[in-house]
Amino acid sequence: MSSQPPEELEAPRPPQGHVRIVYLGPVAPHWEVQSEFGERSVIEEFRQRALARLLLLPPHDPQFRRNRERVARDAEREALILEWDLGIPEEEGTEEAQEDAG
């Protein structure tokens, strides 16, 4: 019986789909999950889990950060490409750079 190191047991899988989580605004429901490709049942199950974690949480809520990390781990387990559209720049310095340029 041969035992393999843990690294070899979990080889990286090719992406099984792509999802984009979009912030809709300050009025609930705050989130929408969109998909570009992937098996419909996998995407739908992921969408249900993600919305259960995020639906009533706007991005400024302290619980959002924890739940965002959980959604990201879930997408990683399912081998989904995850994209967030929060309607704001990801980098905080972006606004300052735009003001300096203008």
Side-chain angles (χ1 to χ4, degrees):
M1 185 165 132
S2 66
S3 64
Q4 297 177 343
E7 309 84 55
E8 294 179 16
L9 294 177
E10 288 191 32
R13 298 183 342 200
Q16 301 298 310
H18 176 277
V19 292
R20 177 182 303 113
I21 300 179
V22 180
Y23 178 61
L24 299 176
V27 178
H30 299 289
W31 304 98
E32 178 180 55
V33 178
Q34 304 169 347
S35 174
E36 292 185 12
F37 71 91
E39 187 177 331
R40 186 177 200 105
S41 63
V42 172
I43 300 296
E44 183 60 27
E45 289 172 9
F46 174 81
R47 184 184 77 76
Q48 290 175 0
R49 291 190 306 268
L51 288 179
R53 292 192 185 282
L54 299 173
L55 197 58
L56 299 176
L57 292 176
H60 60 272
D61 189 296
Q63 182 68 33
F64 171 71
R65 181 180 297 140
R66 289 186 294 267
N67 284 8
R68 180 179 178 170
E69 292 170 4
R70 290 175 179 145
V71 168
R73 284 193 304 269
D74 187 12
E76 188 176 315
R77 277 191 303 273
E78 296 288 337
L80 297 172
I81 299 169
L82 178 61
E83 181 181 340
W84 293 87
D85 181 358
L86 301 179
I88 55 174
E90 288 284 330
E91 300 174 15
E92 295 193 10
T94 306
E95 291 180 22
E96 295 172 4
Q98 289 176 349
E99 290 175 6
D100 292 342

